Amino acid sequence: MTRKQRRLTLIAAALAVLGVALGLVLFAMRDNIVFFYSPTDLETKTVAPGTRLRLGGLVAEGSVEKGEGQNVTFAVTDMNRSITVRYTGLLPDLFREGQGVVTEGVLESAGLFRADSVLAKHDENYMPREVADSLKAQGLWQHGGKTDAQGGGATVASE
């Protein structure tokens, strides 16, 4: 075997090992990848029940119902459609109606989402980027009483 052949064999073997390693990492991460949806996205895209995802929008006015213990039911809306969310646990202190929220959990059926974590906005100007983008795309973005077209802007979360 010549020097050139040995070098090419070594490079090919290194690329094969790198490819296998990358494949194993992607395979291990497949269950940890969670996609973001708005309530409208859930209805327009066919998402199978049992799918783990993030749901974001605004907590619908008058929708928060506290059950026994730490059970809470509320609706998340993007001002176009709403989806009912069931959550068991302590809600963030800043969780309230009309505020931005991102929930992570499992879609149980059409119109019902079982959340295992709830994230609320942390100050007057904060809204998760995905929620803000979704509301802006529908022309429903409001900040400080102004729509986005009227010059109202907001700081959104960065990743």
Side-chain angles (χ1 to χ4, degrees), residues 47-108:
V47 179
T51 303
R52 182 157 187 79
L53 54 96
R54 286 185 180 161
L55 173 68
L58 302 173
V59 179
E61 296 289 334
S63 68
V64 178
E65 297 176 10
K66 296 188 179 195
E68 62 181 58
Q70 296 180 343
N71 294 325
V72 180
T73 303
F74 58 94
V76 173
T77 183
D78 58 5
M79 305 308 237
N80 191 16
R81 293 207 164 79
S82 295
I83 187 165
T84 303
V85 177
R86 278 195 204 143
Y87 176 67
T88 301
L90 296 174
L91 290 170
D93 289 337
L94 297 175
F95 177 89
R96 60 185 175 272
E97 295 173 355
Q99 298 297 319
V101 67
V102 174
T103 61
E104 187 172 327
V106 177
L107 182 64
E108 288 187 341

Side-chain angles (χ1 to χ4, degrees), residues 92-135:
D93 289 337
L94 297 175
F95 177 89
R96 60 185 175 272
E97 295 173 355
Q99 298 297 319
V101 67
V102 174
T103 61
E104 187 172 327
V106 177
L107 182 64
E108 288 187 341
S109 64
L112 185 59
F113 184 78
R114 184 176 32 91
D116 50 42
S117 69
V118 174
L119 305 171
K121 68 184 215 168
H122 73 286
D123 71 12
E124 299 293 322
N125 297 318
Y126 174 84
M127 174 151 317
R129 180 175 304 279
E130 296 91 349
V131 174
D133 290 345
S134 176
L135 291 172

